[in-house]
Amino acid sequence: MQISENKVVTIDYTLKDDTGNVLDSSQGGPGLAYLHGASNIIPGLENALAGKAEGDSLNVSVQPEEAYGQRDDSMIQTVPNDMFEGTEVQVGAQYQAMTPEGQPLTITVMDIKDDGVVIDGNHPLAGQNLHFDVTITEVRDATQEELDHGHVHGPEGHDHG
Ligand SMILES: [Zn+2]
């Protein structure tokens, strides 16, 4: 079965940066399952997988524009220390936050000063070329419920509890 809109695709992948450092990998886990055509994964990877089939392996290099975007210095802000009250803040620590539009956002603590905490709201992989080694382990039709929700259900996917 080939990958096209409304297929559920499971991949094993290793993600490296320009210098060959491994940034992320599905090794040792069940793999990554996503709903093709639903923007569950970055556009550069989704586009490269279209038309491929179960058992195919490919190397995909993705520019920032097709991944997590360029870095934006306006995303670096100083916020009051009391926003982190009750948390032991450390430089380099990452937190999940929400934008005012309700989009999930990863923020990274850059510096801690007397008058505030400097945070960076750029995605940790913004501005980077991403290199994926991908093997497609399964392609199946999505269920109607998965199409309605826009994401994968089941062991490797999303669980409604
Ligand atoms: Zn769901």
Side-chain angles (χ1 to χ4, degrees):
M1 187 178 280
Q2 282 193 319
I3 297 175
S4 60
E5 299 275 306
N6 301 338
K7 301 293 187 211
V8 169
V9 182
T10 307
I11 59 172
D12 282 331
Y13 70 94
T14 299
L15 168 60
K16 294 176 184 164
D17 66 13
D18 279 334
T19 61
N21 261 332
V22 174
L23 301 172
D24 192 14
S25 171
S26 65
Q27 279 209 335
L32 171 74
Y34 78 97
L35 176 59
H36 195 84
S39 301
N40 290 171
I41 61 173
I42 58 170
L45 185 57
E46 187 168 48
N47 293 339
L49 287 165
K52 300 290 188 292
E54 195 171 304
D56 285 354
S57 292
L58 59 159
N59 296 311
V60 185
S61 290
V62 183
Q63 312 271 312
E65 289 75 16
E66 292 287 297
Y68 296 100
Q70 295 291 353
R71 289 185 56 81
D72 175 359
D73 286 343
S74 73
M75 300 287 280
I76 298 173
Q77 295 177 28
T78 302
V79 299
N81 286 306
D82 60 16
M83 270 190 60
F84 289 90
E85 208 165 358
T87 314
E88 203 159 319
V89 191
Q90 287 182 333
V91 172
Q94 294 185 337
Y95 299 91
Q96 298 302 318
M98 285 279 185
T99 67
E101 294 80 36
Q103 295 293 317
L105 185 72
T106 302
I107 61 168
T108 306
V109 175
M110 309 282 289
D111 199 4
I112 302 166
K113 298 177 177 174
D114 289 340
D115 61 347
V117 178
V118 182
I119 59 168
D120 181 357
N122 285 290
H123 190 281
L125 298 177
Q128 294 204 46
N129 297 316
L130 304 179
H131 307 278
F132 293 90
D133 296 331
V134 180
T135 300
I136 299 157
T137 57
E138 192 189 0
V139 182
R140 65 168 169 86
D141 288 317
T143 64
Q144 188 58 49
E145 190 185 46
E146 287 171 325
L147 295 176
D148 289 346
H149 287 207
H151 55 230
V152 177
H153 292 167
E156 302 95 26
H158 163 85
D159 181 6
H160 288 282

